[in-house]
Amino acid sequence: MSDYSSKLNAILTEAYHNALLAEETKRKYSSGNFTFRDRNAVTFIMGFRNGTNISSVADYLKISRPSATMTIKKLEKNGLVERKVDPSNHRNAIVKVTRKGRIYARYQQNYTEEMAKALSEDLSPEERDALYEGLVKLNQFFAETIKESEKKHK
C-alpha cells in the first residue's frame, strides 16, 4: 500500500469511527434515542405531502417491511409521524410526518448543512470540486458494496 493509500485509509477509518461516536453521543444526549435509520425515515416521509406507505419506507431504507413497521411505531410513539388507514385500501396505512417531525427533520438538515459548510468554507473552488467528486466515488463504492452483498445473500 502506498503512503497516500495508508494515509487515506487512516483518515477514512477515523472519520467512520467519529461518525459512529457522534451518532452515539447524539443518541445519548437527545430525547427519543433516534438512529440514522429513524432520521432517514422521517426525512423520506417528509418528502410526501400526502404521506406514504410503510412498504415505500421499507424500500427506501432497504429493510424488511416488519422492520419498517417497528421503525414507524417508534417514530409514532415519539410524536414524529402519524399513521392513518389508507382510504383506498383499508389494509394499508399512510404515514405522515407531524409538526414535531418536521421540526426534527429541519434540525437534522441544519446539522448536515453546518457540517458541509464547516468542511468546505476554507477550500478553494478546485478543492471543493475534488472533495465533492471524492464523496461521489465513496458513495458509489458503498452502493456497489451493498449490491454485491445483496447478490451473495439471495
Side-chain angles (χ1 to χ4, degrees):
M1 184 180 287
S2 72
D3 185 46
Y4 178 78
S5 293
S6 294
K7 287 178 8 184
L8 185 58
N9 180 57
I11 195 66
L12 285 171
T13 301
E14 184 179 355
Y16 181 72
H17 175 73
N18 285 333
L20 292 176
L21 285 176
E23 169 73 7
E24 289 172 8
T25 303
K26 271 189 103 157
R27 288 176 68 185
K28 183 177 177 181
Y29 296 110
S30 68
S31 62
N33 200 19
F34 300 113
T35 65
F36 280 130
R37 178 182 290 168
D38 299 333
R39 288 194 288 272
N40 287 341
V42 172
T43 302
F44 175 74
I45 296 164
M46 198 165 90
F48 296 89
R49 184 172 186 208
N50 296 318
T52 188
N53 60 43
I54 293 174
S55 292
S56 294
V57 175
D59 290 345
Y60 175 75
L61 297 175
K62 297 191 183 305
I63 59 176
S64 68
R65 193 174 190 286
S67 292
T69 300
M70 295 296 289
T71 297
I72 297 303
K73 283 182 180 180
K74 177 182 176 183
L75 296 172
E76 186 176 34
K77 179 181 173 188
N78 285 281
L80 300 182
V81 300
E82 63 183 5
R83 284 188 295 174
K84 295 190 177 181
V85 174
D86 183 348
S88 65
N89 183 346
H90 294 297
R91 293 178 294 163
N92 289 332
I94 297 295
V95 184
K96 292 183 179 182
V97 175
T98 62
R99 181 177 185 279
K100 182 179 177 181
R102 285 190 298 277
I103 291 168
Y104 174 78
R106 278 195 285 276
Y107 170 79
Q108 294 303 320
Q109 182 179 6
N110 288 341
Y111 177 76
T112 56
E113 287 172 358
E114 285 176 26
M115 183 176 16
K117 182 180 175 185
L119 187 59
S120 65
E121 66 186 346
D122 293 331
L123 299 178
S124 69
E126 295 79 17
E127 290 170 324
R128 287 180 184 179
D129 290 344
L131 175 62
Y132 180 81
E133 290 303 316
L135 290 173
V136 166
K137 288 182 180 184
L138 182 62
N139 280 331
Q140 289 171 343
F141 171 81
F142 288 140
E144 289 170 12
T145 300
I146 292 166
K147 284 180 187 176
E148 288 175 17
S149 294
E150 288 174 342
K151 282 181 189 176
K152 288 179 183 176
H153 292 86
K154 282 190 178 184

